[in-house]
Amino acid sequence: VLRDRNVLYREAANGGVENAFRLKIVNKRPEARTFEVSLVDAGGLQLVGGPLVLDAAPEQVLDVPVTVLAPAGTLHGSRDLVFRIVPT
């Protein structure tokens, strides 16, 4: 997981706060695979467009931009995030 280097956070149009990340997912197998990306114990945080379903060709490295949204008034301070990436 890489944090977007451009900004720490941005205010969403609905008043929430968004953070952008990049996930590097490597399919080390010689066959295509599908992965599902979600947040674990998000506590009100939302993976925008999630859960995500991603297809990876054999031995492909995916560079996936993701955005996490904290709806207005739901979060104060910092919080650790855990992304779950599982083959389906």
Side-chain angles (χ1 to χ4, degrees):
V1 176
L2 304 171
R3 185 176 195 107
D4 187 344
R5 298 184 321 190
N6 294 326
V7 293
L8 281 177
Y9 66 91
R10 63 183 169 256
E11 190 171 330
N14 65 3
V17 175
E18 294 181 338
N19 281 305
F21 301 90
R22 297 191 85 67
L23 303 178
K24 297 274 187 179
I25 301 172
V26 181
N27 178 14
K28 293 185 176 183
R29 299 227 175 146
E31 65 271 349
R33 295 173 83 185
T34 300
F35 296 94
E36 182 175 282
V37 178
S38 59
L39 283 175
V40 177
D41 297 327
L45 300 177
Q46 302 166 1
L47 182 61
V48 176
L52 304 174
V53 177
L54 308 168
D55 294 318
E59 301 180 14
Q60 181 182 13
V61 177
L62 300 174
D63 183 13
V64 183
V66 296
T67 301
V68 176
L69 171 68
T74 61
L75 185 63
H76 302 284
S78 65
R79 173 169 299 166
D80 292 332
L81 294 177
V82 177
F83 291 95
R84 176 179 288 142
I85 303 168
V86 295
T88 59

